[in-house]
Amino acid sequence: MRYMLMHKLDENEPLAFDPSPQFIERMGAFIEEAQKAGVFLAGEGLEKSSKESGRITADKGKVTVTDGPFTETKELIAGFALLEVRDKNEAMEWGRRFVNLFIEEGVYVEVDVRRVFEFPEG
């Protein structure tokens, strides 16, 4: 089954979107390990909301378009990883290990681990 790990960072935190070379190296090693384990399907980091971003919202039929930066939002989705794992426990374990990379960097992070909806085979 597939799970999506989405991590959120605070754009106001200086280290959040400006990772150190050591962090990039540790993240690369983590992704390589997940690839070798056969669980990593895809993943990317995202730029700050001040860099070529927009938000489209719809409420009761009214559509609103806003350009970044999203100053009213403290925590933004900063990246994702799509994993193919046996169960939620395995997804959570990869998520914990992912969080540890940020702990070592001294950056606050929040990771949502969500199962990907799959249509029943018919």
Side-chain angles (χ1 to χ4, degrees):
M1 58 189 64
R2 291 179 294 161
Y3 277 85
M4 175 81 69
L5 277 58
M6 295 171 287
H7 71 281
K8 297 180 235 174
L9 297 174
D10 181 350
E11 282 192 307
N12 299 316
E13 190 171 327
L15 292 175
F17 283 84
D18 188 22
S20 69
Q22 295 80 15
F23 177 83
I24 292 171
E25 186 175 318
R26 287 192 304 270
M27 181 62 72
F30 174 80
I31 291 171
E32 185 177 331
E33 183 180 346
Q35 288 172 326
K36 286 181 179 175
V39 301
F40 186 85
L41 300 177
E44 295 288 345
L46 304 174
E47 294 280 1
K48 286 181 165 186
S49 69
S50 61
K51 201 167 190 176
E52 299 184 46
S53 63
R55 177 176 286 159
I56 304 166
T57 56
D59 184 22
K60 299 176 184 168
K62 181 181 177 200
V63 176
T64 304
V65 177
T66 309
D67 287 331
F70 308 135
T71 55
E72 71 281 0
T73 305
K74 184 177 178 187
E75 296 171 355
L76 288 174
I77 295 175
F80 72 92
L82 182 61
L83 306 178
E84 177 74 41
V85 293
R86 290 182 302 267
D87 54 29
K88 178 185 170 191
N89 289 336
E90 186 178 3
M92 293 298 288
E93 180 55 31
W94 282 103
R96 282 187 201 95
R97 294 183 58 201
F98 185 74
V99 166
N100 286 338
L101 299 172
F102 290 89
I103 290 171
E104 291 175 29
E105 189 76 355
V107 172
Y108 170 82
V109 67
E110 181 176 294
V111 175
D112 288 346
V113 178
R114 306 270 309 273
R115 186 170 176 188
V116 174
F117 176 80
E118 297 176 45
F119 287 102
E121 293 182 27

